[in-house]
Amino acid sequence: MSEKLRGNILVTGANRGIGLELVRQLAQSIGENAHIYACCREIEGPRAQALKNLSTPGKITLVKLDLSDEGSISSAVQAVSRNMEAGGLNLLINNAAINRPESPAPLSATGKQHMMDVYETNVVGPFLLVKMLLPLLQKAAEMDSEGDQMSCSRSAIVNISTLISSIEKCPESFHIAQMYPYRTSKAALNMLTRCHAEEFKRHNILVTAVHPGWVRTEMGGEKAPLTPEDSVAGMLSVMLSLSNKHSGMLLDWQGNTIPW
Ligand code: NDP
C-alpha cells in the first residue's frame, strides 16, 4: 500500500484470525502518528500472545473488550477515550463475531440460546460500541477540514459482514451452510450499517460493510481458499478507496458490490 490510513484505529477481535492480521498489516502500513487500539477479550495470557508478539513498539495499545458484556464495552470506551486525549477515533473496524452452533448449523441443531448468543455478540455488541464511540468518531470528523468528503482516514466505521448475509444470494449458499443465527445476525448488522450510514451522514462519518472472502481462520476452516494475508491486504486497499458513494453499502474484499 503506498497510501496510508492514519489517525486512531480501533479493531475488535484482534487476537486471532482476520483481526490479528488486520492489526499486523495496519501496524506495518499506517503513518507515524497513527495508533491502533487492538481489542480482545483477554489481554493477559495465551489468547493474546500472538498479538503481543507483533513487533511494533509504540503503535499498538491492547484494550480489554468483551462485546457480549455492556460493562466491558463501557470500560473499553473509557480507556480508549483517556488514551486518545485530545484526538478522536478515525476508523472503527467491527471485526469480532461468533458462529454458533458449529457449521453447517442446520435448523435441527439450532436452539434459542444459539440465536441469542450470536445476536448479542454480532449485533448488540457493535451497536453499543458504536453508540458509545460516537463522540470520538464525531471529534475525528470535525478535526478534519475536508468539507463533506468522507473517508476511512477521516472518520469511518467498517463492519465486517459476509456474503452469506445477502438475502438476494441466499438460494446460492443456503444448502452448503444453513447457519441460521450467523446469517440473520449479519443481515441485521447490514441493516445497522445502512441505518448508521443514514444517521451519521450529517457528521461526515462513513459507514460500510465489507465481506472478507472465505478465509482460512478458526471460523473459516481449513478448506477456505483465501489466506488472512490476502483477504486483509484486499480489504485495506478497499478501505483506502472508500468515499461518500460507498457509505451504506456492502462490498467484498476486492471492492465488488454485494446485493443486500
Ligand atoms: P475467528 O473465529 O477466527 O476470530 C473471531 C474473533 O472474534 C476472535 O478474536 C474472538 O476472540 C473474537 N470474539 C468472539 N467473541 C467475542 C466477544 N464476545 N467479544 C470480543 N471479541 C470476541 O473469526 P475470523 O477471523 O474468521 O472472522 C473475523 C470476521 O470476519 C467476523 O466478523 C466473521 O464473521 C467475518 N467473516 C469471516 C469469514 C471467514 O471465512 N473466516 C467469512 C465471512 C465473514 P476470542 O479469541 O476471545 O474468542
Side-chain angles (χ1 to χ4, degrees):
M1 272 191 296
S2 52
E3 271 185 277
K4 295 177 190 327
L5 287 164
R6 58 188 162 85
N8 291 313
I9 301 172
L10 188 147
V11 181
T12 67
N15 59 309
R16 61 184 168 95
I18 292 169
L20 178 65
E21 184 59 20
L22 274 166
V23 174
R24 195 184 70 76
Q25 291 192 27
L26 279 167
Q28 283 176 353
S29 63
I30 51 175
E32 270 198 7
N33 297 324
H35 195 82
I36 302 165
Y37 293 86
C39 300
C40 50
R41 284 196 274 203
E42 290 174 30
I43 57 171
E44 304 298 340
R47 294 194 76 79
Q49 200 51 51
L51 190 52
K52 287 184 175 166
N53 289 347
L54 298 176
S55 172
T56 47
K59 278 194 171 175
I60 302 176
T61 300
L62 265 61
V63 179
K64 188 171 169 59
L65 171 66
D66 182 342
L67 284 163
S68 65
D69 176 350
E70 188 166 7
S72 168
I73 299 173
S74 174
S75 302
V77 171
Q78 283 172 33
V80 167
S81 307
R82 275 195 302 272
N83 215 292
M84 279 179 196
E85 294 175 353
L89 177 62
N90 300 85
L91 175 59
L92 162 63
I93 305 180
N94 278 316
N95 164 75
I98 56 170
N99 176 23
R100 305 270 189 279
E102 288 299 300
S103 181
L107 186 60
S108 56
T110 306
K112 175 178 175 180
Q113 208 51 49
H114 297 123
M115 292 297 286
M116 300 306 277
D117 290 348
V118 173
Y119 195 80
E120 184 170 57
T121 299
N122 297 5
V123 189
V124 181
F127 169 80
L128 292 172
L129 186 61
V130 168
K131 193 174 170 192
M132 292 185 208
L133 284 172
L134 184 57
L136 287 174
L137 288 159
Q138 275 181 261
K139 192 188 273 189
E142 283 160 13
M143 284 169 80
D144 203 308
S145 53
E146 300 278 319
D148 66 354
Q149 287 305 300
M150 296 195 271
S151 74
C152 285
S153 291
R154 183 180 191 175
S155 183
I157 300 163
V158 170
N159 292 323
I160 305 299
S161 187
T162 170
L163 180 67
I164 69 169
S165 67
S166 168
I167 292 169
E168 188 175 316
K169 289 199 164 286
C170 185
E172 293 166 35
S173 60
F174 181 75
H175 298 285
I176 306 160
Q178 288 91 58
M179 299 186 194
Y180 283 88
Y182 182 71
R183 278 174 188 273
T184 52
S185 75
K186 292 290 187 174
L189 183 71
N190 292 348
M191 180 54 104
L192 197 58
T193 304
R194 196 70 192 236
C195 294
H196 281 161
E198 278 307 306
E199 178 150 7
F200 301 160
K201 194 160 45 179
R202 63 198 159 100
H203 301 307
N204 298 308
I205 301 170
L206 181 144
V207 192
T208 302
V210 177
H211 161 58
W214 183 17
V215 189
R216 230 168 294 144
T217 61
E218 274 183 46
M219 187 187 285
E222 286 173 2
K223 289 188 187 148
L226 259 182
T227 61
E229 290 80 3
D230 289 343
S231 163
V232 166
M235 286 198 288
L236 290 180
S237 139
V238 169
M239 287 182 214
L240 273 168
S241 74
L242 297 181
S243 65
N244 298 40
K245 66 178 183 214
H246 302 111
S247 200
M249 292 185 75
L250 170 61
L251 306 176
D252 74 8
W253 62 289
Q254 295 175 305
N256 303 304
T257 304
I258 298 174
W260 295 119

